Amino acid sequence: MTSSPSILILGASGTTGRRVTRLLRGQGHTVRAASRHSDIRFDWTDSSTWEAALGASSRLYLMAPHEQPIPAEFVSLAVSRSVRRIVLLSSQAIEVMGDERLMAAERLVRGAGVEWTLVRPPADLDNRHLQSHDSIS
């Protein structure tokens, strides 16, 4: 039996990352769950954690770090290693809100030279809503 390519989930201990990790594992996917406080350590502000977190992942789920842009260096590293598909959690209302950070993240992912998907949930589907509606996952 050959192993399936792994999916790196960044922010895997957070509200959406935890649910995405659980859902993908439940479907039998190989998942690398990474965060600042997990066995697979990933910290946006510590680039020394990036390469080890990537491992041999061919797919990547990411969201922009709180109030920070996604570093282009990370996306370049991911693509140069083995990532061939990036899924970015964004927001349906980024243009209305004028959220340049998320707009830049979307441009970065679109321009990475790999397959990509932008997930744009409604702006009112926030963490409080997700925490009270576990059936969403």
Side-chain angles (χ1 to χ4, degrees):
M1 172 187 219
T2 60
S3 63
S4 63
S6 68
I7 304 167
L8 174 60
I9 308 296
L10 297 183
S13 62
T15 303
T16 60
R18 183 176 64 248
R19 286 169 168 78
V20 169
T21 297
R22 184 175 61 226
L23 178 67
L24 290 172
R25 283 184 173 156
Q27 294 175 353
H29 294 281
T30 302
V31 174
R32 294 177 59 77
S35 71
R36 287 176 294 172
H37 308 292
S38 64
D39 291 339
I40 299 174
R41 190 166 177 279
F42 181 89
D43 187 336
W44 286 110
T45 64
D46 182 358
S47 61
S48 71
T49 66
W50 298 357
E51 194 159 345
L54 282 165
S57 300
S58 64
R59 293 170 281 173
L60 169 64
Y61 171 84
L62 69 115
M63 61 194 84
H66 184 66
E67 298 182 357
Q68 298 176 41
I70 292 176
E73 301 81 18
F74 172 73
V75 173
S76 293
L77 175 65
V79 170
S80 74
R81 290 288 309 272
S82 58
V83 169
R84 298 294 168 251
R85 179 172 196 76
I86 300 172
V87 175
L88 172 70
L89 177 61
S90 186
S91 171
Q92 196 175 66
I94 62 173
E95 288 89 0
V96 172
M97 295 183 315
D99 191 332
E100 180 54 39
R101 178 182 63 95
L102 285 178
M103 288 187 274
E106 288 189 3
R107 287 191 299 272
L108 180 62
V109 167
R110 283 188 193 110
V114 296
E115 294 179 10
W116 52 267
T117 299
L118 304 177
V119 179
R120 285 183 147 200
D124 62 349
L125 187 64
D126 62 12
N127 283 342
R128 288 167 296 161
H129 183 82
L130 286 169
Q131 288 169 348
S132 65
H133 294 84
D134 209 37
S135 64
I136 289 173
S137 60

